[in-house]
Amino acid sequence: MTRERSMVPEAEFQSYYGRPVLKPPVWKEPYGPAYLYLGGLSGVSSVMAVMAEFTGHDRLARTARVAAAIGAAAGAGLLVAELGRPARFLNMLRVFKPTSPMSMGSWILAAQGALSGVAASTELTGILPAVGDAAVLATGLTGPLTATYTAVLLADTAVPAWHEAYRELPFLFAGSALASAGAVGMLATPRAQAGPARVVAVMGAVVESVAGVVMERRLGLVGEPYRLGKAGGRMRAARVLTAGGGLLASIAGRSRTLTALSGLALTAGALCTRFGVLEAGRTSTADPKYTIVPQRQRQAV
């Protein structure tokens, strides 16, 4: 007896009335991606300032202090613009909820902004240097959290491309932040004193590149949005710019031109990463298959 072919057509992964299963993320461009970039820049710049202080790189420490303060202040401004009005950000500070990434992120950003602002202002004015030094040391704790908490914030959503990437997103954002801070340190510090910034930039480029490749391969189907369409183009551009910038940083010690090209490439690569990740999130919510197929696969196990 021959087995008859099933007459049931292939299922189309559409939701009720053809609508997506999930609502798309509400992050707006350019506010959201730029906020993510500046938070990473501020966080790692603070850590770099602490390291520069202890190793005697005073000029780099000064640059890093100022970069951390500007990044935190500008990032907070962009977050307010993203939220629509300042009262919404202030309302988030009315609650301290350790189980909420949004609540903790608001407090981390507020602490980072206040501490880095004190550290930079005392450096520039020379007033109360001991207070500034204490603030710098404190940002050695808030800085790493500021650079990576946004990855936890994105992964703690139902957006498939973000939620399923919870393992790699913190490393991707940390690498991007290292590259960003290293780039600013290279560009704003005399080359003779910017050696540690170049090391940070190269480390960031390597971490970001490896994390991006591992993330896309591990996610399989859910990783498609990082490879296709507008998000795919941005992520490919980020990889090229980051890898090229990291390579140039490793050989740019004696060349002002190569230093400038490296810093600009790393900065552009970090921004492309943030824009690409947000676009991939939107793409993954627009197509129901990125939600339904993984659910069915988990049920079949």
Side-chain angles (χ1 to χ4, degrees):
M1 180 176 180
T2 60
R3 181 178 298 176
E4 296 182 359
R5 294 184 178 181
S6 174
M7 300 301 293
V8 179
E10 288 288 333
E12 294 184 4
F13 298 103
Q14 296 179 349
S15 59
Y16 197 50
Y17 290 121
R19 294 181 179 274
V21 176
L22 302 171
K23 292 183 178 180
V26 297
W27 293 83
K28 299 183 290 291
E29 295 183 359
Y31 306 122
Y35 156 67
L36 298 178
Y37 163 79
L38 289 168
L41 168 65
S42 175
V44 175
S45 291
S46 291
V47 177
M48 193 161 59
V50 174
M51 296 173 61
E53 292 279 358
F54 280 110
T55 56
H57 293 84
D58 297 335
R59 185 63 181 82
L60 178 59
R62 182 184 180 93
T63 297
R65 284 195 189 199
V66 173
I70 292 175
L78 288 169
L79 179 58
V80 169
E82 174 72 33
L83 294 173
R85 58 178 186 268
R88 290 178 176 173
F89 178 72
L90 296 176
N91 286 337
M92 288 191 292
L93 297 178
R94 297 173 61 184
V95 177
F96 185 83
K97 190 175 181 181
T99 57
S100 169
M102 179 63 76
S103 174
M104 296 306 299
S106 300
W107 280 99
I108 289 169
L109 181 60
Q112 172 69 9
L115 292 169
S116 61
V118 170
S121 61
T122 59
E123 175 69 24
L124 295 175
T125 63
I127 300 175
L128 299 176
V131 173
D133 291 342
V136 168
L137 290 176
T139 61
L141 298 176
T142 61
L145 298 176
T146 304
T148 56
Y149 89 87
T150 49
V152 179
L153 182 64
L154 296 185
D156 193 47
T157 66
V159 176
W162 299 346
H163 182 74
E164 299 298 329
Y166 69 94
R167 296 179 185 174
E168 294 85 7
L169 271 183
F171 292 98
L172 182 71
F173 277 23
S176 181
L178 285 165
S180 304
V184 170
M186 290 165 51
L187 293 172
T189 307
R191 293 193 309 280
Q193 302 180 44
R198 289 192 290 272
V199 173
V200 170
V202 173
M203 288 175 54
V206 172
V207 172
E208 181 180 355
S209 299
V210 172
V213 172
V214 171
M215 178 181 71
E216 292 181 19
R217 290 183 177 178
R218 186 184 70 81
L219 293 183
L221 174 68
V222 182
E224 275 189 358
Y226 292 105
R227 300 189 294 270
L228 305 177
K230 185 187 296 186
R234 290 173 175 178
M235 296 302 288
R236 286 190 294 273
R239 279 196 293 269
V240 171
L241 289 166
T242 299
L247 179 61
L248 290 175
S250 66
I251 61 175
R254 297 182 180 181
S255 172
R256 180 174 300 176
T257 301
L258 292 180
T259 297
L261 289 174
S262 174
L264 293 174
L266 289 170
T267 299
L271 285 168
C272 285
T273 294
R274 307 310 170 101
F275 276 87
V277 168
L278 290 185
E279 182 62 31
R282 280 191 285 267
T283 300
S284 69
T285 58
D287 192 332
K289 73 179 181 181
Y290 298 122
T291 302
I292 296 173
V293 173
Q295 289 178 344
R296 291 180 175 177
Q297 290 175 341
R298 285 192 290 266
Q299 291 175 351
V301 175

